[in-house]
């Protein structure tokens, strides 16, 4: 087994393989990461630091807003414990050739449970009622007034109502399943439905060909799509044209991203009927509206999701650092080369996706008299990624220059 | 819970579903010539059943009363004597139950707001609507389950405070750590009481990925069929709750000795896991607040839709208003069910969904017969005297049923009024004789004018 030290400090030119002793990978964390998740890094090979990690090989974070200056030059991977990567400058990372990973599905059950709670909170005035009981309690009037006042907080049931789910990935499909279990009729919309996602959906779901046709007959609407900035993105996608098609009294659930909903348009809707907006993102315009319920961003705030996401992120980083495998990346192509054969050295190369690079790379190996046993090349957008396993003979001096 | 034959009840429910669309309106012309009833004309004046309501009853439910035979009014607005009473959670006082009242129906499951025992003494059946509210309560229990898992209420209120200070965006990610918690998936839920609400809660909990353990000493076959397949049944409340992360109480509140007051008390609470969440959407009195306070002080949670004088302010208690049945659907369903029950009792004398009277169903009244009902104290000899009295009037009994429950007995008889021996009978005389028999409380003649024909024996005095 040949182990090559992944050095600290400045880049080195590798010399004689026999001189290098094994060191540890360094992982820098932002935010409090679950110790169960961090436990996935074997302590004899990894050290984890929240501070003083100037030579970190990889970064692990939750919702910390990552700035470019916080990323050491040694960093070769960034993993987000969560689904959305809006807090990471992903495009810049692609320019620098640094893969950004996320943990799709790790938080799904946590978000689903909160969304179901949101649906129920939007059906009877539960929160207003609880706060009212608290006020009555202070006045010693709770028992006296409870039966009379409860009429102010009643509402309706979910059973028999229609739920439209916009976005049918991990979270959307779980919400669909649970809602169906509660007796709801389902409609769904997802223009990019993959086979894997489709297999996860309940069979009795009516798929529509637009957001508007999904929401038109819905009593409840759940938006579960990623937030993508810029042109052709999803900013304000639930805007006037969509909201104009809501049934009066409809309940909109947004446990995806605040920016997906146009607050002005939502305000008009909430003013005009007994509809509701339930979200776990802050709302500058609607936070105080009687028909709006704003939770803290708790979608993934469960022990289980934190453990699951951290564990998934840790495994993803380990795979990347130890084998060069890429999965769950938001900017790099999925890449997996078979196990590295004995007595071979694995190289990975990240390059801009321009013509001729693969030829240049393999030529460099040929000039270095290194035989490529197996290799894989994948590209995605502006980035291309290569994994190559090269044969070694015992006394070779390796040099690699580009 | 008093036991009764589940299958009989299921049969009656099926029959009653057919009835619901085919209840014969009392037809003043349903006699044909051949009846030798001398005062028959007294029974053929037009009239209405007067339904008195307390609380706001769903209009959809009240529509079940045909307008040509029923007048529905709030009790306080009505100048007519009430024949039947319909109510929700109004605390009914005896003075509000007049001599003309022959039935009381509660739109809901619990009847703690009605003096049921006293009504039994007076021979007045009290009806409820088991299952009508079940889905509404279950959905609120699920909401409670989730509210008890992350600090959602505190979080929402915190966001409001931040909003008022303009700090929401700045602080949301940092502060959210104060309000996180756990998921229900993979956790264990104990359901105490497996009737309509408990069994439905158990099914949904399993659907959401929970392990479910249940306890119900009176589990009926009907309820068992509704339980989730993987439910474990425990042999005591304590053993059900000791393994549980969440506990839902779904049993009736029964006062007095051997009842369920404070059934979730010290001895049960000591068996609970320290961080477990207790959900009480059944009745506040089922839980001993002092004992619960200890549980909450130790990190447990209590979510309830009844007021609690001791715990309302505790950081680990979440008290909702009594919203369990406060949905349009439940209000419509309960009112409709109560209306149908009252119609059936008024028009056919059959009884179902009563909390004090025995379930009773005589098959459809044959043509050319006269139906009467008799309520009596459940003492020996009354039935014999009753049938003897009827035979004195030369009226043949075509079919009859007698059922008893506790201290009360109930009879429905279909009589053939075509007397062949040359004599005639006076219905009013017959009714008086029957009603004044020792042990009889009241009688009704289900013929002719809606609402009329009700006679009572109140402490030896005849009222009609």
């Amino acid at each position: 087994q040949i182990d090559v030290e992944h050095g600290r400090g400045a880049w080195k030119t590798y010399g004689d393989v026999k001189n290098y002793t094994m060191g540890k990978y360094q992982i820098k964390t932002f935010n409090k990461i679950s110790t169960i998740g961090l436990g996935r890094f074997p302590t004899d090979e990894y050290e984890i630091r929240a501070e003083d990690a100037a030579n970190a090989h990889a970064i692990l974070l939750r919702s910390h807003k990552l700035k470019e200056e916080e990323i050491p030059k040694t960093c070769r991977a960034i993993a987000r414990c969560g689904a959305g990567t809006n807090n990471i400058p992903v495009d810049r990372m692609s320019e620098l050739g640094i893969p950004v990973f996320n943990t799709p599905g790790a938080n799904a059950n946590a978000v689903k449970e909160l969304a179901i709670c949101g649906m129920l909170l939007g059906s009877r005035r539960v929160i207003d009622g609880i706060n009212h009981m608290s006020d009555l309690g202070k006045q010693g009037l709770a028992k006296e007034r409870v039966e009379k006042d409860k009429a102010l907080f009643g509402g309706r049931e979910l059973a028999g109502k229609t739920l439209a789910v916009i976005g049918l990935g991990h979270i959307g499909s779980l919400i669909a399943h649970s809602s169906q279990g509660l007796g709801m009729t389902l409609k769904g919309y997802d223009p990019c439905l993959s086979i894997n996602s489709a297999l996860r959906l309940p069979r009795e779901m009516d798929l529509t060909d637009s957001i508007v046709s999904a929401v038109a007959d819905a009593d409840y609407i759940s938006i579960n799509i990623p937030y993508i900035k810029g042109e052709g993105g999803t900013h304000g996608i639930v805007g006037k044209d969509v909201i104009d098609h809501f049934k009066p009294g409809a309940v909109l659930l947004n446990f995806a991203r605040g920016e997906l909903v146009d607050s002005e348009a939502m305000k008009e809707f909430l003013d005009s009927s007994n509809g509701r907006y339930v979200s776990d993102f802050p709302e500058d315009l609607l936070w105080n509206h009687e028909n709006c319920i704003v939770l803290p961003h708790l979608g993934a705030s469960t022990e289980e999701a934190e453990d699951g996401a951290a564990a998934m992120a840790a495994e993803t980083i380990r795979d990347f650092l130890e084998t060069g495998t890429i999965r769950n990346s938001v900017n790099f192509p999925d890449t997996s080369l078979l196990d590295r054969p004995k007595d071979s050295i694995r190289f990975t190369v990240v390059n801009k996706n321009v013509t001729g690079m693969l030829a240049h790379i393999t030529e460099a190996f040929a000039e270095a008299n290194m035989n490529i046993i197996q290799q894989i090349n994948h590209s995605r957008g502006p980035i291309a990624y290569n994994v190559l396993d090269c044969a070694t003979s015992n006394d070779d001096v390796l040099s690699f220059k580009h | 819970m008093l036991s009764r034959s589940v299958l009989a009840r299921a049969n009656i429910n099926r029959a009653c579903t057919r009835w619901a669309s085919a209840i014969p309106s009392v037809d003043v012309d349903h006699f044909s010539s051949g009846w030798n009833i001398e005062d028959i004309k007294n029974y053929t004046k037009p009239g209405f059943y007067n339904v008195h309501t307390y609380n706001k009853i769903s209009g959809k439910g009240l529509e079940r009363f045909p307008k040509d035979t029923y007048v529905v009014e709030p009790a306080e607005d009505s100048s007519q004597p009430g024949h039947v009473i319909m109510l929700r959670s109004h605390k009914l006082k005896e003075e509000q139950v007049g001599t003309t009242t022959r039935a009381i129906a509660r739109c809901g499951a619990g009847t703690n707001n009605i003096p049921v025992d006293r009504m039994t003494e007076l021979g007045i059946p009290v009806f409820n609507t088991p299952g009508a509210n079940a889905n509404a309560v279950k959905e609120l229990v699920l909401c409670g389950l989730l509210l008890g898992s992350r600090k959602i209420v505190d979080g929402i209120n915190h966001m409001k405070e931040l909003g008022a200070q303009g700090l929401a965006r700045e602080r949301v990610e940092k502060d959210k750590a104060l309000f996180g918690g756990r998921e229900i998936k993979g956790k264990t839920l104990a359901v105490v009481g497996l009737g309509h609400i408990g069994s439905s809660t158990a099914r949904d909990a399993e659907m959401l990925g929970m392990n479910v353990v249940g306890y119900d000493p009176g589990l009926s076959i009907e309820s068992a069929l509704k339980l989730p397949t993987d439910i474990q049944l425990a042999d005591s409340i304590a053993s059900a709750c000791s393994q549980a992360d969440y506990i839902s109480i779904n049993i009736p509140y029964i006062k007095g000795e051997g009842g369920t007051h404070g059934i979730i008390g010290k001895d049960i609470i000591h068996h609970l896991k320290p961080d477990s969440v207790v959900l009480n959407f059944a009745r506040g009195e089922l839980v001993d607040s002092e004992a619960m306070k200890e549980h909450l002080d130790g990190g447990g949670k209590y979510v309830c839709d009844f007021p609690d004088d001791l715990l309302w302010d505790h950081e680990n208690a979440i008290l909702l208003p009594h919203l369990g049945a406060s949905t349009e659907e439940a209000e419509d369903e309960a009112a409709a069910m109560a209306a149908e029950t009252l119609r059936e009792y008024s028009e056919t004398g059959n009884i179902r969904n009563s909390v004090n009277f025995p379930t009773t169903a005589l098959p459809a009244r044959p043509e050319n017969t006269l139906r009467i009902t008799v309520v009596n104290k459940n003492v020996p000899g009354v039935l014999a005297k009753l049938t003897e009295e009827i035979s004195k009037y030369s009226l043949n009994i075509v079919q009859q049923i007698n059922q008893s429950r506790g201290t009360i007995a109930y009879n429905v008889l279909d009589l053939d009024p075509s007397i062949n021996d040359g004599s005639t009978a006076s219905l009013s005389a017959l009714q008086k004789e029957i009603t004044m028999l020792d042990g009889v409380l009241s009688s009704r003649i289900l013929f002719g004018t809606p609402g009329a024909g009700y006679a009572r024996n109140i402490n030896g005095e005849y009222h009609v």
Side-chain angles (χ1 to χ4, degrees), chain A residues 62-63 106-107 109-114 116-117 120-121 123-135 137-139 142-143 146-147 150-151 153-159 161 177-179 181-182 259 280-284 287-288 292-305, chain B residues 88-89 132-133 135-140 142-143 146-147 149-165 168-169 172-173 175-177 179-185 187 204 207-209 305-309 312-313 318-331:
Chain A
R62 286 171 61 188
S63 52
N107 294 336
N109 193 70
V111 182
K112 174 207 81 175
E113 288 190 8
L114 200 65
I116 300 290
C117 189
L120 293 161
L121 291 179
S123 301
R124 274 170 266 194
R125 289 195 175 271
V126 176
I127 299 296
D128 289 344
I130 291 170
N131 287 335
H132 184 72
M133 288 307 287
S134 202
D135 288 342
K138 290 190 187 106
Q139 304 166 58
K143 286 214 160 91
V146 62
E147 290 300 328
K150 73 184 188 184
F153 307 110
R156 64 177 174 181
E157 293 164 34
L158 304 181
K161 307 298 182 304
H177 271 288
S178 294
S179 303
L182 294 173
E259 297 89 335
D280 72 333
F281 294 94
E283 238 300 331
D284 295 327
W287 66 274
N288 206 17
C292 180
I293 301 171
V294 175
L295 288 71
H297 183 200
L298 294 180
S301 293
T302 64
E303 306 159 353
E304 298 84 353
Chain B
R88 287 172 62 189
S89 51
N133 294 336
N135 193 71
V137 183
K138 176 210 74 179
E139 288 191 5
L140 203 65
L142 291 182
C143 189
L146 294 163
L147 289 180
S149 300
R150 272 170 266 194
K151 285 186 180 283
I152 291 168
V153 180
D154 289 344
I156 290 171
N157 286 334
H158 183 73
M159 289 307 287
K160 283 205 189 126
E161 282 165 22
L162 289 182
Q165 303 166 57
R169 262 180 219 282
V172 62
E173 292 300 327
D175 290 1
K176 74 183 188 184
F179 306 110
R182 63 181 176 180
E183 292 164 32
I184 64 174
K185 180 180 171 189
K187 307 298 182 303
D204 283 1
M207 184 268 295
L208 292 168
D305 73 333
F306 296 94
D308 193 303
D309 294 329
W312 69 273
D313 207 15
I318 300 171
L319 296 186
L320 288 68
H322 183 199
L323 295 180
S326 294
T327 65
E328 307 160 351
E329 299 85 349
E331 288 170 20

Side-chain angles (χ1 to χ4, degrees), chain B residues 357-411:
Chain B
F357 269 52
T359 301
T360 310
L362 193 58
R365 184 183 57 75
E367 261 195 61
N368 293 334
T369 62
L370 187 77
R371 178 165 287 192
I372 66 172
T373 70
V374 181
V375 178
N376 59 278
K377 294 183 203 165
N378 189 17
V379 293
V382 180
L383 184 54
K385 294 206 205 83
L386 177 63
T387 47
E388 198 188 306
E389 199 60 48
I390 291 168
S391 67
K392 283 192 201 149
Y393 285 76
S394 305
L395 294 166
N396 191 30
I397 299 175
V398 173
Q399 60 178 4
Q400 70 102 344
I401 192 168
N402 167 280
Q403 301 267 49
S404 65
R405 177 174 172 182
T407 54
I408 209 77
Y410 183 64
N411 311 268

Side-chain angles (χ1 to χ4, degrees), chain B residues 287-326:
Chain B
V287 166
D288 175 349
S289 301
E290 302 271 1
M292 183 55 72
K293 182 175 188 302
E294 278 188 50
H295 180 62
L296 299 187
D297 288 342
K301 297 233 178 70
Y302 182 44
V303 189
C304 181
D305 73 333
F306 296 94
D308 193 303
D309 294 329
L310 183 64
L311 300 170
W312 69 273
D313 207 15
H314 201 292
E315 60 166 353
N316 284 343
I318 300 171
L319 296 186
L320 288 68
H322 183 199
L323 295 180
S326 294

Side-chain angles (χ1 to χ4, degrees), chain B residues 37-49:
Chain B
I37 306 292
E38 59 198 44
D39 52 352
I40 199 85
K41 288 273 179 345
N42 292 343
Y43 291 85
T44 59
K45 299 200 256 311
F48 293 94
Y49 291 102

Side-chain angles (χ1 to χ4, degrees), chain B residues 405-457:
Chain B
R405 177 174 172 182
T407 54
I408 209 77
Y410 183 64
N411 311 268
V412 184
L413 308 94
D414 289 340
L415 310 177
D416 178 0
S418 59
I419 303 161
N420 291 326
D421 62 2
S423 65
T424 60
S426 159
L427 273 185
S428 55
L430 169 67
Q431 183 166 36
K432 188 165 182 187
E433 293 285 350
I434 291 173
T435 309
M436 297 316 290
L437 288 172
D438 216 8
V440 173
L441 292 167
S442 65
S443 66
R444 285 194 296 147
I445 296 180
L446 299 190
F447 166 76
T449 314
Y454 180 50
R456 294 179 67 178
N457 178 351

